Amino acid sequence: MSENLIRIKDLRVSYKTDFETVRAVNGISFDLNKGEVIGLVGETGAGKTTTALSIMRLLPFRTGRIDSGSIEFKGIDMLKVPDSEMRKSYRGEKIGMIFQDPMTALNPVIPVGDQIAEAITHHNKEKLNKAQVESRVEAMLELVGIPAFRKADYPHQFSGGMKQRVVIAIALACEPDLLIADEPTTALDVTIQAQVLAMITELRKKLGMSMILITHDLGIVAQVCDKVAVMYAGELVEQGTLEDIFTGDKHHPYTIGLFGSIPKLNEETDRLETIDGMMPDPTCLPEGCKFSPRCKHCMEICKQSPPVEFIDGKHRIACHLYAAHESN
Ligand code: SF4
């Protein structure tokens, strides 16, 4: 039986200011086994990054709050782990994160080698001497395709793709069990995107890590993931295996909309389909189904009550359409 690595149950996260409450994540549940990759897909503002920051316990100190739910990592309740323990044993050691923008993820006034070394020494204080840390830094740079002699260079001396490789080296420096990659290729051009993605996949397999890949690109999901979870307005509207999402015959209207907006190589199209409307304001979410203002199939019940989940094996769709269909 596969070993469970992380289990998230009914997670609710909000950002509170003096004036309003942003409901960023609204009751999501998913789990991931050892060695698996799950793709968290959705538009900007769907709550993907907030989910990642909640796992890392890196929500903004003054405003971000986990309201309810649980995050279990290797059977440990992550919400009860003290901050000092999170810093010492989890963040960067058992769970690594590749942040979205390599330009801002690196410190501009510290050589990249020292930034990789910081991650290594922080988690291996007693075990490695200076020479061992140096050789590990060099090995990490080589691993991500950067010559070791460039360890003394500063971030501004690297291209965007190379900066992202350094960020990946930092995230992998302690060989974490779980890698969270938050849109790791968004800031890169298409050719470099493909290289970085291939490198992450190869390293992940080599080191036997699980991964949560956050992206809005279904093409990337198809290449890399075993499971997919589609997020909308802080909720998981559909989740399943890669086959369920890419070849199954039932889909949430939002997932259908996402697929409709991808160009198809074997079809001539004048205009790509779009999903009408905008993501709802997270300070004032609609009653019932959050997608109802944009949904072509919206029924009266959709505006009144949250959708009942349709479940078929591992495939889950939160939509009244299928609940209604199943009960007929
Ligand atoms: Fe559309 Fe209703 Fe399904 Fe929501 S529950 S996606 S509004 S059909």
Side-chain angles (χ1 to χ4, degrees):
M1 210 173 92
S2 341
E3 191 185 327
N4 180 267
L5 186 72
I6 187 159
R7 178 167 286 136
I8 295 183
K9 260 197 212 150
D10 201 20
L11 184 69
R12 288 173 193 273
V13 186
S14 60
Y15 297 100
K16 284 190 172 57
T17 68
D18 289 344
F19 310 102
E20 58 192 11
T21 299
V22 174
R23 287 162 56 202
V25 174
N26 302 303
I28 64 164
S29 303
F30 67 86
D31 53 25
L32 188 65
N33 291 335
K34 210 162 176 266
E36 278 183 340
V37 182
I38 188 167
L40 270 190
V41 188
E43 285 166 278
T44 302
K48 309 182 299 292
T49 299
T50 297
T51 305
L53 294 177
S54 305
I55 296 170
M56 296 295 274
R57 298 254 308 271
L58 280 176
L59 288 168
F61 171 64
R62 287 181 200 287
T63 51
R65 203 171 83 181
I66 295 176
D67 297 314
S68 61
S70 65
I71 301 172
E72 226 175 70
F73 177 75
K74 290 179 137 184
I76 309 276
D77 183 348
M78 295 294 281
L79 304 186
K80 292 199 177 127
V81 175
D83 268 347
S84 55
E85 186 61 17
M86 271 310 288
R87 258 197 310 275
K88 187 166 161 249
S89 310
Y90 288 92
R91 222 177 276 140
E93 182 163 335
K94 296 191 175 81
I95 309 175
M97 183 156 176
I98 301 172
F99 292 93
Q100 203 173 114
D101 182 4
M103 318 295 166
T104 53
L106 294 170
N107 188 326
V109 295
I110 298 179
V112 296
D114 290 357
Q115 300 192 48
I116 301 172
E118 188 187 354
I120 298 167
T121 45
H122 184 80
H123 297 291
N124 292 283
K125 271 187 194 118
E126 296 91 28
K127 295 175 233 160
L128 298 180
N129 61 34
K130 205 163 177 266
Q132 286 169 319
V133 171
E134 279 304 302
S135 89
R136 181 124 180 85
V137 167
E138 289 172 8
M140 286 315 297
L141 281 172
E142 298 278 357
L143 190 69
V144 296
I146 298 176
F149 70 84
R150 297 212 56 191
K151 66 182 178 184
D153 289 349
Y154 289 86
H156 73 270
Q157 294 170 287
F158 291 87
S159 66
M162 286 179 101
K163 278 197 209 63
Q164 189 60 296
R165 285 167 187 264
V166 174
V167 173
I168 293 169
I170 294 172
L172 301 183
C174 296
E175 300 189 3
D177 299 310
L178 174 66
L179 179 66
I180 302 176
D182 186 2
E183 312 237 12
T185 57
T186 306
L188 310 175
D189 67 56
V190 181
T191 333
I192 306 298
Q193 267 188 24
Q195 285 175 12
V196 169
L197 207 60
M199 191 189 69
I200 293 175
T201 308
E202 195 192 316
L203 293 176
R204 193 195 66 72
K205 284 187 185 152
K206 201 163 158 186
L207 303 174
M209 286 177 301
S210 304
M211 178 159 78
I212 298 177
L213 176 69
I214 296 175
T215 180
H216 54 256
D217 188 334
L218 284 164
I220 291 180
V221 170
Q223 285 175 51
V224 177
C225 300
D226 305 303
K227 291 164 143 182
V228 188
V230 182
M231 269 191 102
Y232 184 80
E235 295 179 348
L236 285 185
V237 293
E238 180 167 357
Q239 59 175 310
T241 61
L242 195 65
E243 291 73 36
D244 290 333
I245 305 297
F246 280 78
T247 57
D249 55 354
K250 288 189 177 75
H251 294 293
H252 190 280
Y254 179 60
T255 314
I256 295 171
L258 288 180
F259 275 103
S261 59
I262 304 175
K264 292 173 191 67
L265 288 175
N266 54 355
E267 279 177 28
E268 229 175 81
T269 320
D270 291 333
R271 232 183 139 73
L272 288 174
E273 282 188 36
T274 55
I275 307 171
D276 290 338
M278 303 273 288
M279 181 82 72
D281 177 354
T283 63
C284 177
L285 290 168
E287 291 290 313
C289 172
K290 310 283 181 289
F291 189 59
S292 59
R294 303 173 76 182
C295 182
K296 290 179 190 155
H297 307 281
C298 181
M299 303 170 279
E300 210 39 55
I301 188 174
C302 305
K303 297 179 195 163
Q304 291 157 7
S305 52
V308 179
E309 211 169 35
F310 162 80
I311 302 173
D312 180 12
K314 290 185 177 161
H315 194 191
R316 306 170 89 98
I317 308 173
C319 176
H320 283 300
L321 211 55
Y322 300 109
H325 173 80
E326 289 305 300
S327 59
N328 283 341

